[in-house]
Amino acid sequence: MVFDLAVVGLGYVGLPLCLQFSKVGCRVLGLDIDQKKVDSILAGRSYIHHISSDDIAEQIAGQRLSASVDFSMVKQCNAVLLCVPTPLGKNREPDISYILKTGQQIAPYLQKGCLIVLESTTYPGTTDEDLKGVLEAGSGLIAGIDFHLAFSPEREDPGNPDSKVARIPKVVGGFTPACLEKAVALYSRAIEKIVPVSSCRVAEATKLLENIFRSVNIALDNVLKLVYGAMGIDVWEVIEAAKTKPFGYMPFYPGPGLGGHCIPIDPFYLTWKALEFGQSTRFIELAGEINTSMPDWVVQNLFQALNERRKSIRGSKILVLGAAYKANVDDMRESPSLVLMDKLAGHGAEIAYYDPYVPVIPPTRAHPQWAGLQSIVWEEASIRSFDACLISTAHANVDYQQLADWSSLIVDTRNAMKNANCKPNQVWKA
Ligand SMILES: NC(=O)c1ccc[n+]([C@@H]2O[C@H](COP(=O)([O-])OP(=O)(O)OC[C@H]3O[C@@H](n4cnc5c(N)ncnc54)[C@H](O)[C@@H]3O)[C@@H](O)[C@H]2O)c1
C-alpha cells in the first residue's frame, strides 16, 4: 500500500493530525517507537482523553489509518510529518535529540520526491540545518532537489472543545519555493486555511512568538495579582472588566505556575539560540522567572490561611485539587500541581489530591515520589477531613459548590469559587 503520508510521533499532536488527514480520505500511517500506542490505534482504542476511540476505530475500519513501529515503511509514504517531543535538557537547554533520532530513523528509507515536514516546536534553524543535515547524511539525497523539506508548527489546544485541527490556520515555511508549494498542497487537503511564509525559519520563529506571547502575558497577570492584591483589588475582577474592551486587549489569567509541554519550555529554545547571535532575551527570561516563582507565592498564602486558623503547615492535611497542568485534560506534563505538592510535603504537610482525569499520578522525571499516588474519592467525609483544599487546576466537572459546603478552608489559584456560595474567610485567592 502507498500512504499519502506518515505521521511520526503519535502523541497529543500526532494522533489528532493522523485522524484529521484520514477523515478527509488520505491514507495515513502512524509511526511511533512506542509499541503500546501503535497497538492501541490498531485496536481502535484511544489513549488520549479528548480523542474518542470511535474516531480511531472508524478510520482503521475504513482502512485509511494504520500504525506501525517499522520505520522502513517510510519507503511507501509520499510525505512524512514529524511530531516528536522537544523537551529541555537537564541544564534547561533545548533537546532536539528526538528530532535528530527520527531523522536518522527515516533517512535510509527516504524516497526521491518525498516531503518531510517538521511540526515539533523548536528554534529557528532546526529544520534547514540540523534536520536537513541528518536526512541528507542518512539518505544520500539533497534537500530541495531530491526531497522536499518544510516546517509547519502545530497549534493544538488540548481540552478546548472548539479547537478542531481542520479549522486552525496552519503556518507553513518551505526550504525552497517548491518545498513550500508541496507542503501547502498537502495541508490544504485537510486544513481549511494555510498561511505560507517565506522560510522554515520564519515558521519556526512564528511558533516561538505565539508561545512566548502567552508566557509574557501570563507573567504580567501574575505580577498584577500580587500588586493589585496588596492594594485590596481582585485581579480577576479587573481582568473581567478589561475583557469588555473590544480592541487592543486579550485576557490572560494568573495561576499557580506554568505547566504543559509548551509555555514553560519553548521560551528557552529562543533564549538559547539568541546567545549564538549575541542577543539578550532578558524580557523573556524575566517572564519565566516570575511564572516559576508563583508556586512559592501560593504556598505562602496557604501558610497564612492556616496560620489564621491557628494551624501550622506541618502535620496539616492538604488536598490539592487538579493534578493535570490545565483544566479539562489528563496531561500531567510540567504540572505546577506537582511542584506545589513537593513544596507542601517538604514543609511537613500530608498531601492528597483529587483529579477526575488523573486517577493515578503517572511517573514523571522531575517528581518521581508521587508516581502511583491515587486520587481520593469525591465524597463529603473525605473532603471534610482536610485542613485545607488548594485549587491548583480547575476542571469544569468538579462541583465547587459542594466543595464550599464541605471544606472549611479553600485556597483558590484559579478563581474557581467565583460562583459558589461561600462563607466569609472560607476562600483565599492565591
Ligand atoms: N501538546 C500540545 O498541545 C502541543 C501543541 C503545540 C506544539 N506541540 C509540540 O509538538 C511536539 C510533540 O508534542 P506532543 O505533545 O505530541 O508530545 P507527546 O509526548 O504527546 O508525543 C510524542 C510522541 O513521539 C513519540 N516518539 C518519541 N521519540 C520518537 C522517535 N524517535 N520516533 C518516533 N516516535 C517517537 C513518543 O513515543 C510519543 O508518542 C513537541 O515539539 C511540542 O512542543 C505540542
Side-chain angles (χ1 to χ4, degrees), residues 86 94-96 99 118-127 130 151 153 201 203-205 207-208 266 269-270:
T86 41
D95 174 5
I96 62 162
I99 296 176
L118 179 61
E119 293 225 357
S120 307
T121 308
T122 186
Y123 54 77
T126 310
T127 308
D130 306 280
F151 182 83
R201 288 175 189 231
E204 288 162 334
K207 176 68 187 180
L208 290 182
D266 301 348
Y269 270 69
L270 184 64

Side-chain angles (χ1 to χ4, degrees), residues 110-116 131-133 135-136 139-149 175-176 179:
L110 203 55
Q111 301 297 300
K112 279 197 169 181
C114 188
L115 166 70
I116 307 290
L131 178 60
K132 175 175 168 280
L135 289 173
E136 290 185 341
S139 67
L141 302 177
I142 306 290
I145 294 174
D146 299 320
F147 68 94
H148 300 283
L149 184 62
F175 177 56
T176 65
C179 296

Side-chain angles (χ1 to χ4, degrees), residues 9 11-13 32 37 86 98 102 105 120-121 158 207 261 333:
Y12 287 89
V13 166
D32 205 293
K37 286 195 174 114
T86 41
Y98 294 86
T102 306
Q105 280 163 324
S120 307
T121 308
K207 176 68 187 180
H261 190 316
R333 288 178 294 179

Side-chain angles (χ1 to χ4, degrees), residues 8-16 31-34 37 47-48 71 82-87 97-103 105 119-122 153-158 207 211 261-262 265-266 269 325-326 331 333:
V8 185
L10 301 170
Y12 287 89
V13 166
L15 183 56
L31 287 171
D32 205 293
I33 46 173
D34 184 346
K37 286 195 174 114
Y47 43 86
I48 294 180
F71 284 75
L82 275 48
C83 307
V84 292
T86 41
S97 62
Y98 294 86
I99 296 176
L100 301 180
K101 179 91 196 300
T102 306
Q105 280 163 324
E119 293 225 357
S120 307
T121 308
T122 186
E154 181 50 50
R155 283 172 162 169
E156 172 77 354
D157 185 10
K207 176 68 187 180
N211 284 352
H261 190 316
C262 297
I265 291 173
D266 301 348
Y269 270 69
Y325 83 86
K326 74 182 262 194
D331 191 345
R333 288 178 294 179

Side-chain angles (χ1 to χ4, degrees), residues 22-41:
S22 62
K23 276 180 196 164
V24 298
C26 294
R27 287 146 306 162
V28 182
L29 172 68
L31 287 171
D32 205 293
I33 46 173
D34 184 346
Q35 182 75 50
K36 283 201 281 238
K37 286 195 174 114
V38 167
D39 292 344
S40 287
I41 291 177

